[in-house]
Amino acid sequence: MRAQSLVHSPMANSFSYHNGWLHCEEVNIKSIAKQVGTPFYLYSTRKISSQFAIIKQLIGSMDARIYYAMKANSNLAVLRHLHNLGAGFDVVSGGEFQKAIKVGSNGSSIIFSGVGKTKDELELTLKGNIKQFNIESFPELLALNEVAGQVGIRAPVSIRVNPDVDANTHEKISTGRAGDKFGIPILRAAEFFQLANQLEWVEPKGIDIHIGSQITSVDPFKKAFNSVAKLVMELRQGGHVIDFLDIGGGLGIPYNHECDTPFAIEEYFKLIRDIINPLDCEIELEPGRFIVAEAGVLVSEVIYEKSAERNILIIDAAMNDLIRPTLYSAYHPIVAIKKSSTDQPLRIYDVVGPVCETGDTFTRGRELPSFNNGDLLAFLNAGAYGAVMASEYNTRPLVPEVLVGGSHWQVVRERPSFQAMIEREKIPDWL
């Protein structure tokens, strides 16, 4: 197994046992559960800082900046912490743009990505002095040109190209293959730039590429980077200006240390130094999962321990709280909040939630410590694509989010009451 040499295990530096109880930094997770109730998400500012620092260290003297991919975790407290660390933001909606502004960022530190930007979103972000639009189709380019003309602001544009590279990741998070919905075919990039340069209110200045998420091999990056480097040289030879090169994100993390074999992150940055940096472009990096995934856990309580044909743990977290196992068959390590003794026998469990779906299953046949009703457990590596993908299915409240910094903690998103949830809906007078 090739370890990510600058990256610690998800338990290091942020989650560890003290006096038999799992802590987040200096805070006993049991004490938070007692006051907040379960389930809840818990984030470590220390781990976020250390992951961000790894990327900053490896950027070194390169002309590169981190634009955190907000879709991974868009809690305002997390965003403020990243802004304070020096991150810009990669957003995919008008709402995410306004969140970035709310935490102190300005438009010149924000990149707008996504295949379906509406005219209202284009106007909002243009007026907000957005750094650039990553354009993914000719109709989108025409729409941006129209809106930019209406507001009288010339729009800075990078063209997202699809290099037809298979990232060898999950089907639902692969974005760089010819059949995927993202970007324009790389072979048509020169044609696209020619058309873009004929429009009055857009200014093509760069190339954008992003081939997928949770990538655990360096080879797809190498193929994509070589393709885009060749494209940059060809476009410049054709007289086009390429000042920015957005190379996206996609760095995988070891969700399952027994099976996942992510490459050493130094290999990834060596590719950037060898292939991308010589192009003399401003390099834009869009990590998301890499920064926040290992910084978060989902804490839950066992409701019932059910033994029939199989040992089943029914917990109070459900698929609407953490949908990744249902959606992607994703693996999350599960640990007890109270450390089990070394002589305690392990048991084989299915871990399920209370939602009325067979798909509300976090794992099957997992070897875990013995649990009893009322015991607390935590899903590790839950800081990315956890709370942001949650819903209120079965009229279950969105779980609260808690941020820890050293010995301090605070609820940074409250759990709504049933009454508040119900009052958001209206019954017509005629019913």
Side-chain angles (χ1 to χ4, degrees), residues 20-239:
W21 292 95
L22 186 63
H23 284 57
C24 177
E25 300 185 21
E26 280 76 63
V27 180
N28 188 331
I29 295 177
K30 179 187 177 183
S31 67
I32 300 177
K34 186 175 181 179
Q35 296 182 59
V36 175
T38 56
F40 63 92
Y41 278 96
L42 180 63
Y43 309 127
S44 163
T45 55
R46 182 181 298 164
K47 186 64 176 178
I48 294 171
S49 297
S50 67
Q51 294 296 99
F52 189 85
I54 288 168
I55 299 178
K56 287 287 290 183
Q57 176 186 341
L58 290 170
I59 285 173
S61 61
M62 289 189 291
D63 182 13
R65 184 173 182 189
I66 301 168
Y67 294 85
Y68 167 70
M70 193 188 297
K71 61 182 178 288
N73 185 323
S74 62
N75 183 279
L76 285 174
V78 171
L79 300 182
R80 172 62 64 85
H81 182 56
L82 284 162
H83 170 69
N84 291 343
L85 292 174
F89 295 102
D90 167 55
V91 305
V92 294
S93 71
E96 286 191 347
F97 176 79
Q98 293 190 71
K99 275 195 165 186
I101 298 298
K102 175 72 174 179
V103 299
S105 189
N106 56 57
S108 62
S109 297
I110 304 171
I111 293 171
F112 194 0
S113 301
V115 300
K117 309 175 190 73
T118 67
K119 289 184 178 180
D120 285 344
E121 289 175 320
L122 295 175
E123 180 178 349
L124 169 72
T125 50
L126 268 171
K127 290 180 176 178
N129 192 34
I130 194 87
K131 175 181 171 61
Q132 75 189 47
F133 295 89
N134 288 341
I135 296 297
E136 305 216 17
S137 68
F138 194 61
E140 181 189 346
L141 185 69
L142 293 177
L144 177 59
N145 185 65
E146 176 188 340
V147 173
Q150 291 170 352
V151 300
I153 301 173
R154 201 147 187 254
V157 163
S158 282
I159 307 302
R160 179 170 180 174
V161 297
N162 186 319
D164 193 18
V165 170
D166 190 341
N168 298 316
T169 186
H170 193 280
E171 173 71 20
K172 294 180 180 179
I173 51 177
S174 292
T175 63
R177 303 166 302 182
D180 295 327
K181 70 179 183 179
F182 300 93
I184 64 163
I186 195 167
L187 295 177
R188 298 191 61 189
E191 172 192 350
F192 199 98
F193 265 82
Q194 289 171 357
L195 293 170
N197 279 313
Q198 295 172 14
L199 299 177
E200 181 179 0
W201 289 99
V202 297
E203 185 178 8
K205 300 179 69 176
I207 291 289
D208 169 41
I209 189 170
H210 178 66
I211 60 173
S213 185
Q214 184 52 20
I215 301 171
T216 56
S217 168
V218 75
D219 294 334
F221 288 119
K222 184 176 182 179
K223 292 177 183 177
F225 291 173
N226 279 323
S227 293
V228 80
K230 180 181 177 184
L231 175 62
V232 168
M233 291 184 285
E234 290 174 349
L235 290 171
R236 284 174 170 168
Q237 288 171 1

Side-chain angles (χ1 to χ4, degrees), residues 8 16 79 84 95 147 162 165 174 222 255 304 337 360 363 373-374 382 385 391 402 407 422:
H8 300 95
S16 57
L79 300 182
N84 291 343
V147 173
N162 186 319
V165 170
S174 292
K222 184 176 182 179
Y255 282 99
Y304 303 115
I337 300 300
D360 185 22
T363 188
N373 298 352
Y385 305 104
S391 74
V402 178
S407 60
I422 293 168

